[in-house]
Amino acid sequence: MSWEQETDEIMRRRKFALRQGGEEAVQRQHDKGRLTIRERIDHLTDEGSFKELGQGAGVPHFDDDGNLIDFEPGNYVLGFAKLNGRRIAIGGEDFTLKGGSPNPAGLRKSVYAEELALQYKVPLVRLHEGGGGSVAGSSGKKAARPLGDPVFAIPRFLSIARILGEVPVATAAMGSVAGMPAARLVASHFSVMVESAQVLIAGPKVVERALGETLTKEELGGAGIHAKSGVVDNVAATEEEALKQIGQFLSYLPDNVWQLPPRVETTDDRNRVDETLLSIVPKDRRKPFQMRKIIKSVMDDGAFFEMTKRYGPSLITGLARLNGVSVGVIGNDCMFYAGAMTADAAQKLRRFADFCNTFHLPIISFVDEPGFMIGSASEKAATIRHGTAAIAAVMQSRVPWASVIVHKVFGVAGAAHFGPGGFVMSWPSAETGALPVEGGVAVAFARQIAAAPDPEALRKELEEKLAAGQSPFPRAEGFSVHELIDPRETRSKLCDWLDWIEPQRGINLGPYKTTMRP
């Protein structure tokens, strides 16, 4: 006697599970231009590296003689894989089964995803397409009871919250995502959605019934909505591009908070000089310039992985490498509100600073800050509250900061660009003060200008005098900055700074704890 009959059934169940929702359901997925969850996992991860967990979880179907004739697998695929040689946990809803809405086995596997990554201290990737559960108890049958989790159950969101403080989490919306999967999508350090996807709290029918609004899925939660709302960080044209972005994002990070980010070999000379930096900031302070060109010029190989570009667009945030070291990068984009800090930009900065602190990424700030955005819309958005909270997040940083004053630093918002004990360099194009020249003159000399025979001539004269007082040279003379530098030296000076902070980088390994903020 042997166990061959039982092992044959195990193999048959596994074979059935690989069929997912069946040939027709898989074909419908392909007809929509979408990959299945298994194809997505295979596309992202190293070839042949995926090791599935819980492949036998599901519902078997037998004939009258007790023979296995079919098997409905849990519609959440989960397991370990390697991504560029590094181990990750990865999972996602199988839309070919019940449209991704969880069946019992699928729900248990999805809940286990966070526990798996926490236990083995590896990054977690979630690839979402589907909705939450069905309406409970709608059949009215007493046999369906008990409803809900028992009172002693561990809250499902506990592991979702814990994981954000311990391992990197990257997620993608590959199709329509609603309810609990939408919450899990945004419970991440990086989220990307495909242009054809939607992210919804509730779908159009529920919204129409509750609020009387008649909207399509796209109008409710399409990529055009959520790229600007901040629900997701990035938008990708295709599924393949979304998966590529996840790989890029994770390449900058450690496996967990007990490790440092990986350092890579680079052929980019640390002393490389870019002559264009000498003239990239116009002499006319009213003319804009491209901060992204500066960032890419300074960083290794001109590479910069930008995140959350269309949300709070006056602030640039992203990841890069400098002399092979992973760094977080922020900068003002003067093409939007002259670079002023809006409520959205402040919330974006706060989240990014916490993220960098969690995973031990030194922060480099390229500063062109005119201050908080002003006006009635800004007041209604509670900009001062969100801005002050962002400053508090910066002040609580445990990672090293380096700040390069490229152009402007005015007002309270300027404090958001300088971490405690940070290294500060200034370009000759820098201007600093309590107020921008134009605003300062308008406030301080309003009566004199109004009474002058030629108000515009006096205004110009006063602005030129005040501008001279905002020169970076007196600040350098008073040691208010560490160095006044030639812009072409920026890369080499920052590489030197990275050498100086190297002994500090491993001091605070472990979870990042923040204190209360406004």
Side-chain angles (χ1 to χ4, degrees), residues 5 15 17 160 196 204 241 248 268 331 340 360 397 400 402 429 442 468 480 491:
Q5 182 177 346
K15 187 175 180 179
I160 294 175
S196 59
E241 173 61 24
Q248 289 176 302
D268 197 349
H360 321 300
S397 288
S429 50
S480 293
R491 176 176 168 81

Side-chain angles (χ1 to χ4, degrees), residues 452-469:
D454 188 344
E456 285 305 313
L458 180 57
R459 187 192 308 276
K460 184 177 180 181
E461 178 185 345
L462 291 170
E463 287 178 355
E464 288 176 352
K465 287 182 179 179
L466 188 58

Side-chain angles (χ1 to χ4, degrees), residues 40-52 79-90 122-123 125 247 250 255:
R40 290 165 181 162
I41 291 171
D42 287 344
H43 186 89
L44 174 63
T45 59
D46 298 351
E47 185 175 357
S49 68
F50 181 57
K51 306 299 180 184
E52 188 171 354
F80 288 114
K82 287 190 175 180
L83 178 57
N84 298 322
R86 296 170 61 190
R87 190 169 57 152
I88 62 170
I90 185 168
V122 294
V125 175
L250 291 176
D255 290 343

Side-chain angles (χ1 to χ4, degrees), residues 6 45 47 87 105 120 126 155 181 195 212 216 246 253 263 276 281 289 295 329 363 369 379 385 398 407 505:
E6 288 81 2
T45 59
E47 185 175 357
R87 190 169 57 152
Y120 292 95
R126 303 194 211 98
E195 281 183 350
T216 65
I246 286 176
L253 301 179
R263 186 166 189 163
T276 65
V281 178
F289 60 94
I295 293 171
V329 178
I363 299 173
E369 179 62 75
E379 301 294 356
R385 174 172 289 279
R398 66 179 185 182
H407 198 201
R505 295 181 68 222

Side-chain angles (χ1 to χ4, degrees), residues 200 202-209 211-221 225:
L200 310 159
K205 291 183 180 179
V206 176
V207 170
E208 184 174 11
R209 180 70 180 87
L211 303 176
E213 293 182 342
T214 303
L215 298 167
T216 65
K217 284 184 179 182
E218 195 67 25
E219 290 168 335
L220 268 175
I225 300 293

